[in-house]
Each structure stands twice: as C-alpha cells, then as structure tokens.
Amino acid sequence: MERRAVFKIWGREIDSEGRCAHYHQKNDIVGLKCLTCQKYFACYQCHDELMDHSFKACDKTDYPAICGKCRNIINFEDYKEGSCIHCHAPFNPNCHRHWSIYFK
C-alpha cells in the first residue's frame, strides 16, 4: 500500500529529490522526520541550522522517513532494506551510521 505524503523535505540547498548542502550524492534522497516539529528534513544538520530546537528522533514505527524520489513515507523496517519499497530508488548505504540520531 502506498503512503504518499504531501510533506516537503526541508533543508539547506534542497534539490527536487531532497539532497542538501551536507549530503548530496545521487542516493542521498531520504527525508527524516523530527518528532518535535513533525517535518521531514534532508539531515539533522539542516534541521538544527534552520529550526529553534534540536532534531529529536522518531519511533521506528511512526513512518519516520520519506523517499525524495516518489514522496512516499516509509517506516524503519522498509527504509533499512536500502531502497524505496515503492519506486525502488536506492538509498545511501552509509546512512546507517546516523540511525541513532534519527530513530528510537
């Protein structure tokens, strides 16, 4: 089942698929949701530069990620597969280094 979001991916120097000034490789296309403001950001650095609060991790079951290519929201279990379950766009495999920042 598709869960297409109408949410914007926020950040600095965002392109059409959610890449930002900090992370801009071809596969850096995931937006991650801050629990406090409920907005999807390209990265925690963009969030902390643009908002008046620090990024707070979302629960893994709370659709904490959005694919920048097709704009479907996804839960952690689907996100960790490494590509979008809807459009099959690959995600950056090195993002696992930041999972403790984005997911609780």
Side-chain angles (χ1 to χ4, degrees):
M1 175 172 87
E2 283 193 11
R3 294 180 144 282
R4 188 171 299 271
V6 294
F7 301 105
K8 173 181 177 178
I9 298 177
W10 297 82
R12 285 191 41 229
E13 302 172 29
I14 295 293
D15 73 7
S16 64
E17 293 185 344
R19 295 173 197 89
C20 68
H22 306 101
Y23 298 97
H24 42 267
Q25 293 182 37
K26 184 176 181 175
N27 55 5
D28 288 322
I29 60 168
V30 175
L32 298 143
K33 185 166 69 170
C34 171
L35 180 64
T36 303
C37 61
Q38 297 291 298
K39 292 181 179 178
Y40 290 91
F41 281 83
C43 73
Y44 71 94
Q45 293 163 312
C46 284
H47 176 278
D48 291 353
E49 289 174 15
L50 297 173
M51 302 304 286
D52 62 359
H53 60 274
S54 295
F55 188 93
K56 187 169 181 183
C58 279
D59 187 79
K60 292 178 179 178
T61 61
D62 189 29
Y63 292 92
I66 183 172
C67 175
K69 185 165 181 108
C70 70
R71 301 298 173 153
N72 278 288
I73 56 175
I74 51 180
N75 66 28
F76 177 76
E77 290 302 313
D78 292 334
Y79 165 70
K80 75 177 187 176
E81 293 300 314
S83 62
C84 180
I85 63 166
H86 303 285
C87 71
H88 308 289
F91 301 146
N92 188 329
N94 293 317
C95 289
H96 74 276
R97 296 177 181 160
H98 299 126
W99 283 0
S100 64
I101 295 170
Y102 296 116
F103 312 111
K104 63 177 178 173

